[in-house]
Amino acid sequence: MTRAGGFWQVGQEPGRQVVLLGVALTLTAVAVDVLLVGSLSLFFDLCFMALCLGLAALVRRQDFYLVALLPPVLMVVVFGFIALVARDAVADPRDSVLQAVVSGVATHGVALFIGYALCLGWLGWRLHRKGDLASELERELGQPAG
């Protein structure tokens, strides 16, 4: 009988699926927060931080780089979409689209920083937990190290 690993060992999802899941869950958090509060609040920040950690846990090892770049890109793209659709949720309604995106990212910058740190930390932990970096890269890339 084989023993199932912990939830941190299950990361077998392809990067593209993880990215799409991240976009869908971020937009869901935005929709729920805007419907309940009328703007983005601490609820969105907490959801974003948890999402960053969850995406880092789900992705397979070959696609770490894609997820390592995801949190800032995800936040900017989502705020760009919000600025086009419901600008008053992230900024003053009279602001330009670019100004609304910058305002949204600045307002939720702490959540971005913490979510990004959680994501990179979890990916780093997963990368280093089975050995040193050289042997891991050799295994991933299929080339001898050194």
Side-chain angles (χ1 to χ4, degrees):
M1 179 164 94
T2 60
R3 196 175 127 212
F7 70 91
W8 58 86
Q9 296 176 341
V10 246
Q12 300 299 321
E13 296 298 321
R16 294 181 75 184
Q17 289 180 2
V18 172
V19 169
L20 292 174
L21 178 66
V23 170
L25 290 176
T26 304
L27 289 175
T28 301
V30 166
V32 168
D33 206 13
V34 169
L35 287 174
L36 293 177
V37 180
S39 65
L40 296 183
S41 65
L42 182 62
F43 174 77
F44 170 77
D45 291 345
L46 295 173
C47 288
F48 186 80
M49 291 183 286
L51 176 71
C52 290
L53 183 61
L55 295 178
L58 285 175
V59 71
R60 66 182 175 193
R61 297 174 79 84
Q62 294 89 343
D63 296 326
F64 274 11
Y65 186 71
L66 184 62
V67 173
L69 298 175
L70 185 60
V73 173
L74 182 62
M75 185 169 273
V76 169
V77 168
V78 166
F79 283 161
F81 176 73
I82 296 169
L84 291 172
V85 176
R87 192 167 302 158
D88 58 338
V90 291
D92 189 88
R94 297 169 295 178
D95 289 348
S96 68
V97 172
L98 179 62
Q99 190 174 2
V101 171
V102 170
S103 177
V105 171
T107 304
H108 300 278
V110 172
L112 174 60
F113 176 77
I114 294 172
Y116 203 21
L118 288 170
C119 179
L120 292 178
W122 196 267
L123 290 175
W125 180 81
R126 284 184 61 197
L127 185 64
H128 293 293
R129 71 185 162 98
K130 288 200 176 182
D132 64 338
L133 181 60
S135 64
E136 183 63 32
L137 287 175
E138 177 183 335
R139 189 179 70 76
E140 291 292 329
L141 298 175
Q143 302 172 355

